[in-house]
Amino acid sequence: LALSPHTVLKMDGWMDVYICNFFVPQNQNVTHNSSLYKKPFEESFEETPLLVAVLTYMGYGILTIFGYLRDFLRHWSIEKCQVAREKEEQKDFVPLYQDFENFYTRNLYMRIRDNWNRPICSVPGAKMDLVESVSHDFNWTFEHTGRVVKDVINMGSYNYLGFAENNGACADAAIEATEKYGVGVASSRCEMGNLDIHEELERLVARFLGVESSMAFGMGFATNSMNIPALTGKGCLILSDELNHASLVLGARLAGSTIRVFKHNNMQSLEKLLRDAIAHGQPRTHRPWKKILIVVEGIYSMEGSIVRLPEVVALKKRYKAYLYLDEAHSIGALGPNGRGVVDYFGLDPKDVDIMMGTFTKSFGAAGGYIGGKKELIDYLRCHSHSALYAISMSPPVAQQIISSMKSIMGEDGTTLGADRLRQLSENTTYFRRKLREMGFIIYGNDDSPVVPMMLYMPAKIGAFGREMLKRNIGTVVVGFPATPIIESRARFCVSAAHTREMLDTALEATDEVGDLLQLKYSRREQPLPSLGWMAEESLLQD
């Protein structure tokens, strides 16, 4: 059946909708301008099966009923309450705890709390060592047993290029920087904390990104939350993707600007907001907005999706807006040269007004950066709270970033960076393809190293994490409030440090646990298994 690029094929009513090579929910109206893309752009968001959705709601309903029953018992001191709550003499004050989130923490999260906050006692590389902990009071408190679980395959850390290591050129350079500068700076950049290694780092980052200038910060979260208020204020409009990170949300709120949210990666929704903003202006006065700032991420860490940057840039130019791009997960992990989503789509870095990213993932370090025009960076040096009041980046951390970035750029005299970029791409493609063939529902873009696998039901969140750890696989399971309450998932992060044997071991364990917990929800037709060349030849002869 020959279909045009914009043909919509509906099958069995609510079940499946394919739009422009996308597998998406029927209520998610997703189209894209294919003329802006130099290569196929494919993302997968398979709709939740109806029966699974109903059972998930029922599961949360049962947990909620028992939660209220236990709260009743706690109120009458029949059951001991071990969670923080309002004192009786403070009942007339503004409550410190939100009612539902406190209820959720007390009665739902606490049941599966053992899946998080597990201490590790090694480098968080391809494999890691976990400190075993147990709880004797149903996850309210934990104690260490003294036993260490060795060689757990790490499928949860953001170690995309494998630079989180304690040996090699980067580690050796960081040790030398520690011996020369020490660990702490004990001052902010504008006072006594501006070192030559910081300026070297900023020049290198600007060259890596292809922008005029850049500025480094000691904390990735604060790079967003403290710089957005310096860029916008009252009378400005921020258009934010509905799935933006908490640091972007906090920064937008602190700015005091008007915030409007558009549907995730939906260009029709974004364009409508832009049109309305220009047509109607500010509320009540209808004066033009002082500034319109579009805020998006490169890779969305809970969905595994990649921003449709060519379309965002086209809209930004058409409506004379500014673009703030958060490349926390995409810098180093995407693009032929590892330079993020701009490199991935082959765009001009000058089309993005504010390029933000972090050093915490692909570079195996800490902190973040802002890149752009020199005027922008000079302005932030004088107005950013993160620049004026925060302690400077630790020198060995700065050296780790410099060494790993030079490796990615090929300036260390080796092909190590290029080899890791290629290995990450191959590992990502292989791991995603195998999970789909097993029948799991996988979200996101085919090139994204963030691989969300849907679990849905509340009981399966804890069960999946525990069963995988029994098989020596360390995974991250995610639920509300990081995701919608019925879209719980396991999130795998693929690394260049993973060997094919490690991935196969993880896939075998996932397949086994998927059968045990009945997690293979996908209704897509799977390709027939290969018979092998000898069997195929005998069939042809017959």
Side-chain angles (χ1 to χ4, degrees):
L1 176 65
L3 300 176
S4 69
H6 299 287
T7 299
V8 178
L9 174 61
K10 295 186 179 180
M11 303 171 62
D12 299 330
W14 56 272
M15 289 186 65
D16 305 299
V17 176
Y18 293 86
I19 304 179
C20 308
N21 296 327
F22 287 83
F23 192 87
V24 298
Q26 185 171 349
N27 58 3
Q28 186 172 335
N29 182 22
V30 179
T31 59
H32 72 287
N33 187 350
S34 58
S35 63
L36 297 174
Y37 295 84
K38 299 178 181 179
K39 61 180 181 178
F41 182 73
E42 299 182 0
E43 292 192 335
S44 172
F45 295 94
E46 186 172 346
E47 188 174 16
T48 307
L50 182 60
L51 178 60
V52 174
V54 171
L55 292 176
T56 302
Y57 278 118
M58 288 178 60
Y60 276 108
I62 293 170
L63 286 172
T64 302
I65 292 170
F66 275 91
Y68 280 115
L69 175 61
R70 297 185 70 179
D71 277 356
F72 175 80
L73 297 177
R74 290 172 185 138
H75 178 74
W76 293 101
S77 301
I78 299 173
E79 179 180 335
K80 183 180 179 181
C81 183
Q82 304 185 68
V83 74
R85 56 181 178 178
E86 307 292 345
K87 292 183 177 179
E88 184 64 28
E89 57 268 27
Q90 294 178 322
K91 63 181 179 179
D92 295 326
F93 287 74
V94 176
L96 293 174
Y97 309 103
Q98 294 185 18
D99 184 52
F100 177 73
E101 290 192 6
N102 196 25
F103 175 86
Y104 180 89
T105 301
R106 195 167 55 243
N107 295 297
L108 282 78
Y109 165 74
M110 203 58 63
R111 294 171 176 266
I112 54 176
R113 188 180 170 214
D114 57 298
N115 283 274
W116 295 279
N117 309 310
R118 292 170 175 151
I120 68 171
C121 55
S122 68
V123 174
K127 289 187 176 182
M128 59 186 177
D129 298 338
L130 287 178
V131 177
E132 186 181 65
S133 56
V134 296
S135 175
H136 302 292
D137 55 3
F138 305 102
N139 293 342
W140 288 99
T141 61
F142 293 90
E143 62 182 43
H144 303 319
T145 63
R147 176 174 172 265
V148 175
V149 184
K150 296 282 189 178
D151 294 328
V152 177
I153 297 177
N154 182 3
M155 297 300 299
S157 294
Y158 306 132
N159 184 27
Y160 297 132
L161 293 181
F163 283 114
E165 51 194 359
N166 58 0
N167 53 50
C170 293
D172 293 341
I175 292 171
E176 292 178 10
T178 305
E179 293 173 347
K180 180 179 179 180
Y181 297 100
V183 175
V185 182
S187 183
S188 64
R189 290 287 298 275
C190 61
E191 294 173 337
M192 299 295 293
N194 190 32
L195 305 181
D196 57 345
I197 195 171
H198 294 139
E199 297 196 356
E200 179 188 355
L201 170 61
E202 290 175 345
R203 289 193 298 270
L204 181 65
V205 170
R207 192 153 50 85
F208 181 64
L209 298 175
V211 296
E212 293 180 9
S213 184
S214 74
M215 187 174 183
F217 303 89
M219 181 182 179
F221 191 98
T223 306
N224 279 330
S225 60
M226 293 290 101
N227 281 297
I228 293 178
L231 297 170
T232 65
K234 189 175 181 180
C236 298
L237 174 65
I238 295 177
L239 302 180
S240 177
D241 189 290
E242 65 179 348
L243 297 183
N244 274 344
H245 189 262
S247 59
L248 294 169
V249 175
L250 177 60
R253 290 175 176 174
L254 291 175
S257 304
T258 301
I259 305 170
R260 290 175 184 164
V261 178
F262 60 92
K263 295 178 182 178
H264 175 57
N265 241 352
N266 190 309
M267 297 303 105
Q268 289 77 22
S269 176
L270 174 58
E271 184 168 18
K272 184 179 185 301
L273 290 179
L274 284 166
R275 284 180 175 178
D276 291 345
I278 292 173
H280 302 295
Q282 299 184 42
R284 294 191 300 275
T285 65
H286 298 293
R287 293 176 180 175
W289 294 100
K290 295 179 182 178
K291 193 183 301 177
I292 299 178
L293 181 67
I294 303 171
V295 181
V296 294
E297 294 186 44
I299 291 178
Y300 291 86
S301 60
M302 287 300 163
E303 305 299 312
S305 55
I306 297 175
V307 64
R308 296 180 192 174
L309 192 60
E311 296 178 75
V312 176
V313 169
L315 289 175
K316 166 241 174 186
K317 290 180 177 180
R318 183 184 307 167
Y319 294 99
K320 311 299 181 185
Y322 294 94
L323 176 58
Y324 186 108
L325 174 63
D326 179 349
E327 293 221 67
H329 287 269
S330 54
I331 192 70
L334 284 182
N337 304 300
R339 298 181 183 181
V341 71
V342 176
D343 184 33
Y344 176 77
F345 287 111
L347 301 176
D348 188 346
K350 295 178 182 178
D351 290 335
V352 180
D353 301 288
I354 304 104
M355 298 184 71
M356 178 271 172
T358 63
F359 303 120
T360 54
K361 284 104 181 155
S362 295
F363 303 97
Y369 66 82
I370 294 284
K373 292 183 178 180
K374 187 176 184 302
E375 294 84 356
L376 168 71
I377 303 305
D378 290 344
Y379 173 83
L380 288 177
R381 290 189 195 280
C382 300
H383 293 84
S384 170
H385 286 75
S386 197
L388 296 172
Y389 302 112
I391 294 296
S392 301
M393 181 183 289
S394 176
V397 172
Q399 184 59 56
Q400 165 73 18
I401 301 164
I402 291 171
S403 302
S404 56
M405 191 172 290
K406 284 185 176 179
S407 178
I408 296 171
M409 298 170 72
E411 295 184 3
D412 61 343
T414 71
T415 61
L416 177 64
D419 293 341
R420 294 193 182 199
L421 289 170
R422 184 180 64 255
Q423 189 64 51
L424 175 62
S425 177
E426 291 175 1
N427 286 353
T428 297
T429 302
Y430 177 77
F431 194 74
R432 280 183 166 273
R433 176 171 57 82
K434 286 294 185 180
L435 285 177
R436 282 205 182 95
E437 289 175 358
M438 291 175 185
F440 296 106
I441 293 181
I442 304 300
Y443 274 9
N445 192 285
D446 290 344
D447 294 326
S448 170
V450 179
V451 187
M453 189 186 86
M454 305 309 293
L455 303 176
Y456 298 113
M457 301 179 193
K460 295 184 180 182
I461 302 173
F464 183 82
R466 296 178 191 123
E467 290 296 328
M468 291 294 282
L469 188 58
K470 287 179 183 177
R471 293 158 177 80
N472 246 34
I473 311 295
T475 59
V476 172
V477 288
V478 190
F480 178 83
T483 68
I485 196 165
I486 68 160
E487 291 188 11
S488 303
R489 63 198 68 180
R491 185 184 61 180
F492 299 101
C493 290
V494 182
S495 171
H498 290 136
T499 64
R500 184 58 60 90
E501 291 74 21
M502 291 179 189
L503 293 180
D504 285 338
T505 301
L507 287 165
E508 182 180 351
T510 306
D511 188 31
E512 184 179 333
V513 175
D515 289 332
L516 177 66
L517 302 180
Q518 298 182 355
L519 298 174
K520 298 180 179 180
Y521 303 118
S522 179
R523 297 159 301 162
R524 305 172 95 177
E525 290 187 7
Q526 303 300 326
L528 294 174
S530 174
L531 298 174
W533 67 271
M534 293 182 65
E536 291 174 358
E537 184 177 351
S538 64
L539 285 174
L540 289 173
Q541 289 175 351
D542 292 343

